[in-house]
Amino acid sequence: MSEPTVIEAVDLCKHFDGGLVKAVDGLSMTVARGEMLGVTGPSGCGKSTLLHMIAALTPPTSGQLRVEGVEIGGLRDLAAYRRDHIGLVFQLHNLLPHLTACENVEVAMFGTRLSRRQRHERARRLLAAVDLGAFADRPPTRLSGGERQRVALARALANEPAILLADEPTGSLDARAVDRTMELIARLRGERPELTVVLVTHDPRVAQACDRLIHMADGRIANLGSEARI
C-alpha cells in the first residue's frame, strides 16, 4: 500500500518583475509521507523558490500547492503553519551569533505551549541527538561549520515537524561533515519514518541518499525520476 501524499503541487508558478522572471513555471509534483525527495538542477532553476513556497515564505503567483491536504494559499496564520508543520535547514545555518547552541534551538519553540523549562530540556535532548550535547552552551562562533549545521538541524526538528525542508544543507561543508550530516538525517528518518524530507542539493553523495530525485530546469521539472540518480 502506497503512502499518502503530503505535498502536492499542480501547475505551480512563481513569477517576479511582472512576469519577466519565471522562477517556477508550471511545476506539478507529489511527495509521499516518509519520502526523502532530492531536488537537483542548475543555479537559478527555481529549486530554492520551490522550497520557499512549500514553507510559505513566498506565495505562489498561480497554481495550487497543498500540504497535508490543505491549500497553502488559504492559510491565515502562516507563522503557525511554519512553526507546527515545517522544519527548515538552510545552507548557511542562520544561527543567531549572540545565543548559545541551546538557545538557538529554543528559539524555534517560542509561541508553543511549552514552558521555558520544557523548551530548554527539549533543546538539550535534540542537541544530544545530533551529538552536540557537550556543546550546548557554546555560541556558534565556537563551533565548526559542520557543528553549526547540526545545531540548525536540531532547531529544525524542535517542534516535531511533518516536513523537513533543506536547501543545500551540506553546500558549505567538507566531505567528512557532509557524511556526518547525512548519517544523522538517516538516523532521524529511522526514528521517525513518517518524516517527509525535501532536500535541494548539488552533491552526488547527498543525492544518492535520497529515495527519489527530480531535476529542475527553467522553473520546471525536466526529469521526474523514481530512483536517486543524477
Side-chain angles (χ1 to χ4, degrees):
M1 183 176 178
S2 61
E3 293 293 336
T5 296
V6 172
I7 301 170
E8 181 181 16
V10 180
D11 200 23
L12 190 65
C13 296
K14 181 60 183 180
H15 299 168
F16 298 96
D17 295 335
L20 295 176
V21 178
K22 298 180 179 180
V24 174
D25 191 28
L27 181 147
S28 297
M29 71 171 194
T30 60
V31 186
R33 178 176 296 156
E35 182 177 18
M36 182 167 167
L37 176 71
V39 184
T40 68
S43 297
C45 71
K47 304 185 301 297
S48 295
T49 301
L50 173 61
L51 256 62
H52 289 173
M53 285 191 286
I54 297 171
L57 292 172
T58 186
T61 301
S62 62
Q64 296 179 321
L65 178 59
R66 289 184 284 271
V67 176
E68 297 188 290
V70 176
E71 176 65 45
I72 297 302
L75 293 175
R76 293 185 177 181
D77 192 343
L78 298 180
Y81 161 74
R82 286 189 291 269
R83 183 190 65 225
D84 298 338
H85 299 277
I86 302 293
L88 284 165
V89 182
F90 299 99
Q91 180 176 351
L92 299 177
H93 47 78
N94 291 347
L95 299 180
L96 298 174
H98 60 285
L99 300 181
T100 65
C102 187
E103 290 167 340
N104 266 283
V105 177
E106 288 182 59
V107 164
M109 292 177 270
F110 290 171
T112 68
R113 296 181 179 180
L114 297 177
S115 67
R116 182 177 180 181
R117 178 178 179 179
Q118 289 172 321
R119 293 195 302 267
H120 183 75
E121 291 176 348
R122 178 162 176 75
R124 286 191 173 273
R125 286 197 301 271
L126 285 164
L127 288 170
V130 297
D131 300 334
L132 287 177
F135 298 155
D137 296 320
R138 290 190 184 184
T141 52
R142 294 182 57 201
L143 298 173
S144 69
E147 289 165 348
R148 293 175 193 175
Q149 200 62 303
R150 281 149 57 193
V151 174
L153 179 59
R155 180 183 59 187
L157 297 169
N159 297 319
E160 298 185 338
I163 301 168
L164 178 65
L165 303 176
D167 193 355
E168 291 283 2
T170 62
S172 61
L173 305 182
D174 59 30
R176 183 176 180 182
V178 170
D179 291 341
R180 186 73 185 108
T181 300
M182 296 313 297
E183 287 171 4
L184 284 167
I185 291 176
R187 190 174 77 195
L188 291 166
R189 291 185 71 209
E191 294 170 355
R192 286 192 58 197
E194 76 283 0
L195 178 66
T196 303
V197 182
V198 182
L199 188 151
V200 167
T201 187
H202 285 104
D203 193 325
R205 294 167 299 174
V206 176
Q208 288 172 3
C210 297
D211 301 320
R212 181 168 60 97
L213 292 180
I214 60 173
H215 185 80
M216 290 185 63
D218 299 324
R220 300 184 179 189
I221 294 177
N223 181 27
L224 183 61
S226 60
E227 298 179 357
R229 297 177 179 171
I230 290 184

